[in-house]
Amino acid sequence: AVSCGRNSGAAMSFFDSFDVDSIKKTATAAMSKIAGTEMDRKIAEATSNKPWGASTTMLQEIAQATFDFSQFQEIMAAVWRRINESGKNWRQVYKALSLLDYLIRNGSERVIDDARDHVYQIRTLNDFQYTEPGTGVDHGINVREKSRQLCELLN
């Protein structure tokens, strides 16, 4: 039985035997594997299928993170993943292109180099097609126009 009175020293020594920092690191690593890192969540939110754009604050945080090499790699991998989405996810593709545009203008110079290395991926979106079934609305035009603007910016 655990005593709650004056002899709580025994209980304290039991808890003192745990390496709390190690436990926190293990828990954080486990959560990252399940839910992704905080940056993964920010990028997912910035490039979501929701009909509104990312906040300027969030875009600034992502752009600032490109100056850290490991976060830069994580961010760019997520951007290229989103850019390769299919037609029905046109909004994610468009938002990924918009995020890339913001990062080119406000992030690390490595973003420009990486975007130039992937310009063929951006250029293929000049022919992006998606017409909403039922309404016939051409949502691909937004992606095509944004990809043309980015190709121009990178040349």
Side-chain angles (χ1 to χ4, degrees), residues 59-60 62-64 66-67 100-109 111:
L59 293 173
Q60 288 171 342
I62 296 169
Q64 191 58 42
T66 63
F67 290 92
L100 181 58
D101 187 346
Y102 189 89
L103 296 177
I104 288 168
R105 296 173 193 274
N106 300 287
S108 159
E109 284 202 24
V111 174

Side-chain angles (χ1 to χ4, degrees), residues 94-129:
Y94 177 76
K95 287 181 173 184
L97 290 171
S98 296
L99 175 58
L100 181 58
D101 187 346
Y102 189 89
L103 296 177
I104 288 168
R105 296 173 193 274
N106 300 287
S108 159
E109 284 202 24
R110 287 186 292 233
V111 174
I112 298 167
D113 296 335
D114 196 55
R116 284 187 174 141
D117 289 345
H118 288 85
V119 76
Y120 65 92
Q121 263 180 289
I122 300 167
R123 195 170 287 121
T124 63
L125 296 173
N126 288 343
D127 299 321
F128 188 89
Q129 296 292 321

Side-chain angles (χ1 to χ4, degrees), residues 2-3 27 40-41 47 51-52 96 114:
V2 175
S3 83
D40 282 336
R41 289 188 294 278
T47 60
W52 54 82
D114 196 55

